[in-house]
């Protein structure tokens, strides 16, 4: 869960996710979308995304193709979902007790 | 629910109290303590929102929008303490809506990890935004 949260907290990585959401994109092509970022830095972002399970990668000849794994974000959603379930249950109890003491 | 830049979590709950009462529980530091944690709240746009929960995590963000008894929007993240989720202060967005219903209040919380539009513009991606918006289904 921590890995996925860290991965999506970065704007460059969110842009990469958007670029790969509709299909496979080669690493080199992704790097060309970020002219102000060095190639190794883009590779590092891709590694973080892959380690977090947010993208899948497969080799194709001498290229590496990346695609989005939507299921990778489910842990983040599950964590926030649990946080709000707990919080809102306590809010409900507190507010109702004040309204109907 | 698992879109890159849209809703991560949305929850709705009906509370047997008036919106005025529920509103106070979101904006009064003494009352938010009863359900979330010790808070430093300045409920006006740009004002601080810092809440220390019993479990030790410190949520920090700022109020973005307040419509009395109807709507509260604030940014949300955790201060970098041990065990805190790596969501930096202010990096996600929470929208709370309060709707009166037969004397009760229907509370909806929408928590998103938003795409940073400003970052997109800075990196020259403005031209792609309509495409991205279409891809994201918005």
């Amino acid at each position: 869960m921590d890995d996925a949260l860290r991965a999506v907290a970065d704007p460059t990585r969110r842009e990469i996710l958007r670029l790969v959401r509709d299909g496979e994109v080669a690493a080199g092509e992704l790097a060309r979308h970020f002219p102000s970022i060095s190639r190794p830095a883009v590779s590092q972002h891709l590694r973080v995304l892959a380690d977090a399970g947010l993208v899948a990668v497969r080799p194709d000849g001498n290229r590496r193709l990346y695609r989005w794994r939507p299921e990778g974000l489910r842990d983040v959603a599950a964590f926030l979902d649990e946080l709000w379930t707990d919080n809102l249950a306590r809010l409900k109890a507190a507010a109702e007790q004040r309204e109907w003491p | 629910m698992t879109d890159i830049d849209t809703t991560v979590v949305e929850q709705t709950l009906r509370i047997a109290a008036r919106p005025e009462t529920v509103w106070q529980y979101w904006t009064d530091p003494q009352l938010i303590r009863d359900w979330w944690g010790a808070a430093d709240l300045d409920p006006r746009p740009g004002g601080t929102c810092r809440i220390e929960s019993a479990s030790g995590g410190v949520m920090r963000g700022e109020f973005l929008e307040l419509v009395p008894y109807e709507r509260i929007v604030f940014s949300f993240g955790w201060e970098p303490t041990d065990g805190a989720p790596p969501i930096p202060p202010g990096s996600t967005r929470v929208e709370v809506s309060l709707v009166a219903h037969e004397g009760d209040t229907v509370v909806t919380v929408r928590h998103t990890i938003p795409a940073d539009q400003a970052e997109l513009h800075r990196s020259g991606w403005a031209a792609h935004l309509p495409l991205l918006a279409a891809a994201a289904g918005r």
Side-chain angles (χ1 to χ4, degrees):
Chain A
M1 185 274 293
D2 278 7
D3 285 349
L5 288 174
R6 190 174 291 113
V8 294
D10 181 274
T12 300
R13 290 197 285 269
R14 283 200 300 264
E15 288 183 47
I16 292 174
L17 286 176
R18 256 180 238 104
L19 292 169
V20 300
R21 66 172 298 143
D22 290 329
E24 289 184 316
V25 183
E29 192 181 328
L30 288 170
R32 278 196 293 281
H33 283 291
F34 300 95
S36 60
I37 301 175
S38 74
R39 189 76 182 255
V42 172
S43 296
Q44 177 60 29
H45 282 310
L46 288 170
R47 198 169 307 127
V48 171
L49 288 168
D51 288 350
L54 293 173
V55 298
V57 56
R58 73 175 177 94
D60 174 42
N62 59 358
R63 302 190 307 166
R64 289 168 70 75
L65 300 177
Y66 288 83
R67 68 172 174 81
W68 186 36
R69 286 184 74 249
E71 58 270 39
L73 272 178
R74 279 183 198 145
D75 287 351
V76 179
F79 174 82
L80 292 176
D81 204 45
E82 192 177 329
L83 174 92
W84 284 113
T85 299
D86 293 350
N87 267 0
L88 291 178
R90 284 196 299 269
L91 166 64
K92 179 180 166 73
E96 290 184 350
Q97 199 189 349
R98 185 180 179 86
E99 195 89 339
W100 313 102
Chain B
M1 168 151 176
T2 53
D3 228 334
I4 295 165
D5 54 359
T6 56
T7 307
V8 172
V9 162
E10 181 167 329
Q11 287 195 12
T12 297
L13 184 76
R14 183 166 171 167
I15 296 179
R18 292 162 299 142
E20 290 81 353
T21 303
V22 178
W23 170 267
Q24 288 178 342
Y25 275 86
W26 283 95
T27 55
D28 182 328
Q30 296 307 320
L31 295 180
I32 205 168
R33 192 191 255 281
D34 289 349
W35 63 277
W36 191 336
D40 176 10
L41 302 180
D42 180 11
R44 54 183 174 172
T48 302
C49 178
R50 184 181 186 278
I51 304 165
E52 200 168 337
S53 69
S55 58
V58 180
M59 195 293 290
R60 185 152 56 87
E62 71 178 37
F63 287 101
L64 301 173
E65 196 185 327
L66 296 110
V67 181
Y69 318 132
E70 287 178 14
R71 181 174 156 82
I72 303 163
V73 182
F74 58 98
S75 60
F76 179 117
W78 279 275
E79 290 186 353
T81 50
D82 281 351
I87 293 182
S91 65
T92 71
R93 176 185 171 97
V94 177
E95 297 175 49
V96 181
S97 86
L98 310 178
V99 178
H101 185 73
E102 297 170 351
D104 294 349
T105 303
V106 176
V107 180
T108 301
V109 170
R110 227 175 110 85
H111 193 156
T112 62
I113 299 178
D116 189 329
Q117 299 288 313
E119 289 289 340
L120 287 172
H121 282 283
R122 267 203 293 284
S123 58
W125 270 87
H128 293 265
L129 281 174
L131 268 182
L132 296 175
R138 287 181 298 170

